[in-house]
């Protein structure tokens, strides 16, 4: 079981992050300051550190520097409610593995943590390579269209040819990429993913190609890029359509020459990787508009696979609903009643599988008695099949009325915390603290009932 150290001076934030990570199988130690974090790290055995940027006594940047000196190779993720591109560039150029801007959703936190612990640059191997295997996100499908795509993916898994996965956001492009990697001869080698849309150009170049010591201000040591970290395995270029023209040219050269030039380097470094690229936009249309290089498009589009949206594969809905219920049940039975299931199967799912995942996660928090009802999953675009009965507030505590108001507002804003906080007339931080409090109260009540 991977051990994660959480460092944040806000008690509610520590509690919320701890609850999410422990529910998903991680061992968590949470402390409120940099000095306390260094004391905890002295015992060793941690796979990852999640640290706030702005803390009294010792800032996140100061803690990062101390961890790099005392525990080289231990990955750190910086969290900040004051996130700017400049903060992210500074933190990652000085050694942070990634960053999260508060407030962030639990699935985003889990996705980042899991991707880092799978990353070969982490100090410890993940999964069965020296640690207990961890439950990963997996493909769940019965739809013939998806089965045909997986059949093609299996057939080309042994080749080195680039694959281009096109499809709407949330359709499972990264899962298909991992499926290809696991089905081929590179399965025991690294799988490295980089989100081309999440990083500014100057940071993305260093992340992809690496840099030499002294290549720019703050480059105090050589850093290997994602291409080199993926040597022998697979590199996933997520949302490659967002890459700027200058980097497109460098990427084309890497694909043609099978070698990479570090920023500030004197000679190219040979690499052996399989590249899989994803996009939620039509690269062909971008080429026609002059926004994407034609030669790079042809180099990436050797094996094209177009993933259908969830509305075109409704055969998968029952299986996906049950799958996400199992994930968010927190070790307790969780079922979906007939009215809620019928309601979910009518929804068009513009956000695809990712939207369904978030809806079930929220419903699992709202559900009582281990059963998700239609009221727990109601979405903005469609009324319930039958009007919900009027609920009297008489006899409820002020705390319960407040909780219901907050959860209803979140439901109506499709879990958009910024919009919900604005509608409620409170700050996002206050909303976040309230949600963490509700989780703690629920866990405490359930434990007491048991």
């Amino acid at each position: 079981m991977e051990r994660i150290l959480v460092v944040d001076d806000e008690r509610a934030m520590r509690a919320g992050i701890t609850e999410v990570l422990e529910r998903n199988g991680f061992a968590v130690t949470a402390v409120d300051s940099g000095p306390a974090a260094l004391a905890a790290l002295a015992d060793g055995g941690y796979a990852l550190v999640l640290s706030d940027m702005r803390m009294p006594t010792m800032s996140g940047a100061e803690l990062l520097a101390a961890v790099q000196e005392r525990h080289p190779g231990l990955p750190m993720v910086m969290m900040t409610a004051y996130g700017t591109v400049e903060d992210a560039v500074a933190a990652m150029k000085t050694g942070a593995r990634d960053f999260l801007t508060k407030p962030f959703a639990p699935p985003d936190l889990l996705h980042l943590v899991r991707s880092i612990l799978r990353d070969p640059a982490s100090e410890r191997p993940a999964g069965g390579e020296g640690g207990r295997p961890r439950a990963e996100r997996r493909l769940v499908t019965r739809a013939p269209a998806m089965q045909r795509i997986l059949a093609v993916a299996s057939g080309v898994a042994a080749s080195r040819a680039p694959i281009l996965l096109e499809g709407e956001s949330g359709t499972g492009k990264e899962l298909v990429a991992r499926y290809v990697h696991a089905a081929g001869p590179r399965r025991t080698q690294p799988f490295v993913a980089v989100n081309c849309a999440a990083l500014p150009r100057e940071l993305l170049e260093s992340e992809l190609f690496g840099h030499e010591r002294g290549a720019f201000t703050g480059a105090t040591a050589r850093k290997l890029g994602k291409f080199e970290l993926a040597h022998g395995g697979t590199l996933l270029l997520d949302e490659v359509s967002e890459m700027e023209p200058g980097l497109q040219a460098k990427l084309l050269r890497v694909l043609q020459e099978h070698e990479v030039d570090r920023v500030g380097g004197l000679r190219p470094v040979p690499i052996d990787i399989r590249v899989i690229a994803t996009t939620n936009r039509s690269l062909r249309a971008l080429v026609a508009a002059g926004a994407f290089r034609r030669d790079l498009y042809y180099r990436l589009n050797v094996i094209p696979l177009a993933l259908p949206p969830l509305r075109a594969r409704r055969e998968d809905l029952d299986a996906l609903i049950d799958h996400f219920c199992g994930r968010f049940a927190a070790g307790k039975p969780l079922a979906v009643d007939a009215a809620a299931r019928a309601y979910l199967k009518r929804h068009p799912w513009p956000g695809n599988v990712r939207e369904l995942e978030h809806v079930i996660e929220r419903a699992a928090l709202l559900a009582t008695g281990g059963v998700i009802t239609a009221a727990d999953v109601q979405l903005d675009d469609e009324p319930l099949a039958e009007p919900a009965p009027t609920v009297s507030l008489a006899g409820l505590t002020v705390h319960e009325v407040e909780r219901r108001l907050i959860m209803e507002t979140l439901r109506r804003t499709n879990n958009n915390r910024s919009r919900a906080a604005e509608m409620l007339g409170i700050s996002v931080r206050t909303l976040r603290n309230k949600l963490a409090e509700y989780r703690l109260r629920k866990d405490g009540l359930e434990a007491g009932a048991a």
Side-chain angles (χ1 to χ4, degrees), residues 314 317 338-350 355 359 362 374-388 408 411-412 414:
R314 291 189 171 275
L317 276 168
R341 191 174 291 266
Y343 178 75
L344 290 171
K345 292 169 79 170
R346 288 197 304 269
H347 184 62
W349 299 111
E355 181 188 3
V359 167
R362 184 182 65 212
D376 298 323
V377 299
Q378 185 181 3
L379 301 163
D380 290 336
D381 66 320
E382 182 183 355
L384 287 168
E386 297 180 2
E408 173 66 13
R411 182 190 64 75
R412 291 189 176 277
N414 200 22

Side-chain angles (χ1 to χ4, degrees), residues 266-278:
L266 299 177
R267 61 183 61 88
V269 179
I271 55 169
D272 171 24
I273 60 172
R274 204 272 178 77
V275 171
I276 301 177
T278 76

Side-chain angles (χ1 to χ4, degrees), residues 60-287:
E62 292 170 332
L63 176 61
L64 173 62
V67 169
Q68 287 183 307
E69 179 182 352
R70 303 182 191 186
H71 307 277
L74 178 61
M76 282 190 66
V77 170
M78 310 309 295
M79 305 179 293
T80 177
Y82 310 93
T84 64
V85 170
E86 290 75 18
D87 288 338
V89 171
M92 293 184 68
K93 281 187 174 180
T94 54
R97 184 60 59 82
D98 214 320
F99 70 97
L100 281 167
T101 302
K102 299 177 182 178
F104 45 81
D108 295 333
L109 170 65
L110 289 170
H111 179 77
L112 179 59
V113 166
R114 287 167 173 156
S115 66
I116 288 176
L117 293 180
R118 284 193 299 259
D119 195 313
S122 298
E123 184 177 34
R124 294 176 48 206
E129 302 175 38
R132 193 180 76 174
R134 195 170 60 251
E136 301 289 356
R137 292 171 179 258
R138 61 184 180 87
L139 274 167
V140 176
T141 183
R142 299 171 181 169
M146 281 296 292
Q147 294 291 344
R148 287 192 294 270
I149 288 172
L150 296 183
V152 174
S154 297
V156 301
S159 77
R160 186 179 179 175
I163 295 177
L164 179 61
L165 298 171
E166 292 188 308
E168 297 177 9
S169 294
T171 51
K173 297 185 290 295
E174 181 175 342
L175 290 181
V176 174
R178 292 186 180 277
Y179 178 90
V180 172
H181 176 75
R186 298 174 182 265
R187 66 178 68 88
T188 60
Q189 300 302 313
F191 180 99
V192 179
V194 58
N195 188 335
C196 300
L199 301 173
R201 185 196 188 284
E202 63 273 19
L203 186 54
L204 180 58
E205 181 176 16
S206 175
E207 282 295 297
L208 286 175
F209 307 113
H211 62 247
E212 295 287 354
R213 179 179 181 180
F216 46 78
T217 303
T220 58
R222 169 186 289 178
K223 176 181 178 180
L224 300 184
K226 300 297 188 184
F227 278 100
E228 289 184 79
L229 293 174
H231 181 69
T234 302
L235 177 66
L236 173 65
L237 297 174
D238 197 18
E239 302 306 342
V240 71
S241 56
E242 306 307 311
M243 186 177 288
E244 294 188 4
L247 290 183
Q248 291 179 28
K250 293 194 69 171
L251 172 60
L252 178 63
R253 185 183 182 282
V254 172
L255 296 177
Q256 290 175 334
E257 305 299 332
H258 305 294
E259 59 185 26
V260 63
D261 292 296
R262 298 191 192 116
V263 178
L266 299 177
R267 61 183 61 88
V269 179
I271 55 169
D272 171 24
I273 60 172
R274 204 272 178 77
V275 171
I276 301 177
T278 76
T279 177
N280 60 14
R281 299 198 286 167
S282 168
L283 281 193
R284 182 182 292 273
L286 292 175
V287 169

Side-chain angles (χ1 to χ4, degrees), residues 282-299:
S282 168
L283 281 193
R284 182 182 292 273
L286 292 175
V287 169
F292 198 85
R293 291 181 65 108
R294 184 178 301 272
D295 46 6
L296 179 57
Y297 169 69
Y298 288 126
R299 177 64 65 174

